[in-house]
Amino acid sequence: MQWLSKLKENLSGNISENLSLASITSFKVGGPAKVYICPRTERDISEIMSFSYRESIPLWVLGGGTNVLVHDNGLSGIVVGTSKLRGMTWEVKGPNVYVRVDSGVTLPELVAISLKNGWSGLEFAAGIPGTIGGALAGNAGANGRAVGYLAEWIRTVERDGRIIEWKKEDLKFSYRYSSVYSPSRVISQCCLKLDVSDRTKVLERFMEYKRRRGFQPKNKRTAGCVFKNPSADVSAGMLLEQAGCKGLTKGGAFVSREHANFIEVRGNARASDIYFLIEYCREKVYVYSGIVLDLEIKLLGGPWVYG
Ligand SMILES: Cc1cc2nc3c(=O)[nH]c(=O)nc-3n(C[C@H](O)[C@H](O)[C@H](O)COP(=O)(O)OP(=O)(O)OC[C@H]3O[C@@H](n4cnc5c(N)ncnc54)[C@H](O)[C@@H]3O)c2cc1C
């Protein structure tokens, strides 16, 4: 592979070949990444992006891998992993704290530091895994709140290596939608605006959000909610339950008995088992209600075949 030797000559950072993506995603299924690179700086990302652009190599981005389903055949080209982008600084200005954070820092780490310092704003993220980059890409949230609304600015590295800083007023977020998301753009850094508050109050709100999550499967092989809620009043979980999806099984994958919008995995499940269940459940909900559910998780690779 000629481009791989060129890549190695030109770039610093950890480069792995044929890395099993099952080992770094929460479903723990899916094939390998042909090349997996964990850049340490924004400049490294920019070099990878411009290199892959020039050489027409497909490019993928992976944060914590907690909201993706990777195809059994894996991903050709280059997968950029953000786990080594770990910087964080903050500045208190009056009643606010501005936290500048690299995209590989995890949401649980940000929640923990907020609890320690009495910063308010991220309490709703209690129990949401993954990185801040992944959270901004999908506007992760719970109970009507979401990460994107806290962003003062976001820096991205574009497909051709250019770096852009998006100001708050350039960004649009809504329920699980982020204008900054694009499959081959890397979110490198952001600044979140939080409130300086009282540690006890922040902890109380955090515990309350944590309590509300009680009915979801924990410490299981899942990727969170599979489908988006069709509206604020109609939850995908309720439709899936009413359509009789709870407990449906295909190979090593099954619809959770605790929450119908979660697919759980055991043993040697394949990504194709999960994909089958996704499409089968979507069909059942459509027949039951006439509603076509949209995916919340991202399918990486393909082609995906149902049947
Ligand atoms: C048990 C469990 C509970 C969950 N609960 C919730 C919840 O309550 N609310 C919620 O919203 N989600 C929830 N999730 C889903 C998931 O945790 C979030 O969506 C999380 O923000 C994904 O972050 P990640 O780093 O794991 O992203 P990944 O899964 O790695 O990636 C998700 C998508 O974002 C893209 N991406 C990742 N990082 C970047 C980056 N730096 N730049 C550009 N694109 C990027 C990827 O290409 C992919 O398309 C849950 C998941 C689990 C397993």
Side-chain angles (χ1 to χ4, degrees):
M1 199 193 297
Q2 225 188 347
W3 64 260
L4 183 55
S5 353
K6 259 201 231 170
L7 185 73
K8 284 177 179 167
E9 272 167 33
N10 285 305
L11 291 176
S12 58
N14 296 355
I15 302 182
S16 312
E17 287 169 60
N18 294 316
L19 180 93
S20 159
L21 292 171
S23 66
I24 52 171
T25 55
S26 56
F27 267 140
K28 301 198 189 312
V29 302
K34 195 154 204 138
V35 172
Y36 181 74
I37 311 184
C38 290
R40 290 181 185 275
T41 63
E42 194 175 61
R43 202 191 155 100
D44 288 348
I45 309 173
S46 170
E47 282 177 19
I48 298 166
M49 301 288 273
S50 47
F51 175 85
S52 68
Y53 182 68
R54 275 195 316 270
E55 302 279 327
S56 305
I57 304 163
L59 190 122
W60 312 83
V61 191
L62 205 56
T66 64
N67 207 211
V68 291
L69 177 60
V70 176
H71 196 276
D72 292 313
N73 293 343
L75 303 177
S76 60
I78 298 174
V79 178
V80 175
T82 60
S83 62
K84 297 272 191 286
L85 299 163
R86 305 273 313 146
M88 187 185 340
T89 55
W90 60 84
E91 193 181 352
V92 176
K93 280 192 199 160
N96 299 111
V97 52
Y98 293 83
V99 187
R100 184 182 176 132
V101 59
D102 287 350
S103 60
V105 172
T106 68
L107 213 43
E109 285 168 331
L110 280 167
V111 170
I113 204 159
S114 296
L115 285 172
K116 189 171 155 217
N117 290 306
W119 301 337
S120 179
L122 277 170
E123 297 90 325
F124 69 86
I128 306 182
T131 61
I132 185 66
L136 287 168
N139 197 21
N143 295 294
R145 293 174 184 260
V147 168
Y149 308 124
L150 300 170
E152 280 294 288
W153 51 257
I154 296 178
R155 284 170 72 94
T156 60
V157 185
E158 302 297 301
R159 187 70 183 96
D160 56 6
R162 275 176 311 130
I163 295 168
I164 298 186
E165 186 164 312
W166 306 81
K167 301 267 176 267
K168 192 186 174 78
E169 47 280 14
D170 305 327
L171 298 165
K172 285 198 179 57
F173 293 100
S174 57
Y175 168 69
R176 299 302 169 270
Y177 167 80
S178 164
S179 60
V180 87
Y181 170 74
S182 155
S184 50
R185 162 190 282 158
V186 181
I187 295 169
S188 52
Q189 254 182 48
C190 70
C191 177
L192 302 180
K193 182 181 175 187
L194 304 177
D195 300 325
V196 176
S197 179
D198 174 87
R199 260 198 270 183
T200 316
K201 284 190 190 142
V202 175
L203 180 63
E204 271 169 16
R205 278 193 292 267
F206 169 83
M207 293 307 286
E208 172 54 22
Y209 281 112
K210 201 169 167 197
R211 193 187 57 74
R212 291 193 209 170
R213 299 177 70 84
F215 56 88
Q216 291 181 358
K218 287 188 211 79
N219 306 319
K220 305 268 175 64
R221 289 166 61 188
T222 73
C225 286
V226 173
F227 297 104
K228 294 181 190 175
N229 293 326
S231 70
D233 313 321
V234 183
S235 85
M238 184 195 71
L239 286 175
L240 288 154
E241 185 165 350
Q242 289 171 352
C245 296
K246 264 191 175 175
L248 288 174
T249 301
K250 170 77 176 164
F254 61 100
V255 179
S256 171
R257 291 211 165 271
E258 289 166 76
H259 191 309
N261 201 10
F262 277 61
I263 290 180
E264 292 185 36
V265 168
R266 63 186 154 217
N268 293 328
R270 295 174 59 76
S272 57
D273 295 335
I274 298 173
Y275 183 68
F276 178 91
L277 271 187
I278 288 173
E279 292 303 337
Y280 189 57
C281 288
R282 205 189 324 236
E283 219 168 76
K284 278 182 82 76
V285 166
Y286 180 68
V287 169
Y288 168 77
S289 65
I291 294 173
V292 181
L293 292 177
D294 281 340
L295 275 185
E296 181 168 328
I297 62 171
K298 298 280 193 303
L299 303 177
L300 304 188
W304 296 88
V305 181
Y306 172 51

